[in-house]
Amino acid sequence: MVADGSLVTEGIVPQKAGSIAAAEYAVLSRQPYELPPRQLFVEVHHVHRRRPHLKCASYPLAGMELPKRFGWGVHVNPLGKVGLVACDSEEYREMLHDPYVKKCRSWCSSKA
């Protein structure tokens, strides 16, 4: 779920090239529901940002930039693969009201 206090009301594509948010969006928009969380962070930080020294094993989905500041919900399907859902979409609203979908708010950002 999008972070509390977020001023964003729709899914926005990050425009700053080389940013973490742009890398997250690039990976998830090209490979929706293909990567588990750990592999997503490896792809974002090791491949796109060329930071192979980072230890991605403990990175949490709730700390991602996309739900904090860009209006994207992060969804993990029953197979454990990650996808994006825009907060202004019908799919997002349906997931919010589905009792079988576990909800977890993104961490707040002081820059939100």
Side-chain angles (χ1 to χ4, degrees):
M1 293 176 59
V2 175
D4 284 334
S6 175
L7 302 176
V8 180
T9 59
E10 63 184 332
I12 298 171
V13 177
Q15 299 298 315
K16 186 177 176 185
S19 68
I20 293 172
E24 290 171 350
Y25 183 82
V27 172
L28 288 172
S29 65
R30 280 197 303 260
Q31 298 175 292
Y33 297 107
E34 289 183 21
L35 302 171
R38 183 177 295 178
Q39 187 60 38
L40 164 66
F41 291 121
V42 167
E43 188 75 17
V44 167
H45 295 290
H46 294 193
V47 177
H48 281 271
R49 298 186 65 232
R50 294 182 181 96
R51 307 267 174 109
H53 61 283
L54 295 177
K55 295 182 181 352
C56 299
S58 63
Y59 283 19
L61 291 175
M64 290 179 64
E65 291 292 315
L66 293 174
K68 284 185 196 177
R69 300 187 301 142
F70 293 93
W72 293 96
V74 177
H75 177 247
V76 180
N77 71 12
L79 299 175
K81 308 296 172 103
V82 182
L84 289 177
V85 183
C87 70
D88 58 325
S89 70
E90 184 62 32
E91 182 181 10
Y92 187 87
R93 285 186 287 282
E94 288 173 7
M95 286 181 178
L96 282 179
H97 295 97
D98 186 338
Y100 298 104
V101 175
K102 181 180 174 185
K103 286 93 175 163
C104 178
R105 285 245 180 239
S106 173
W107 295 343
C108 293
S109 173
S110 59
K111 298 178 184 177

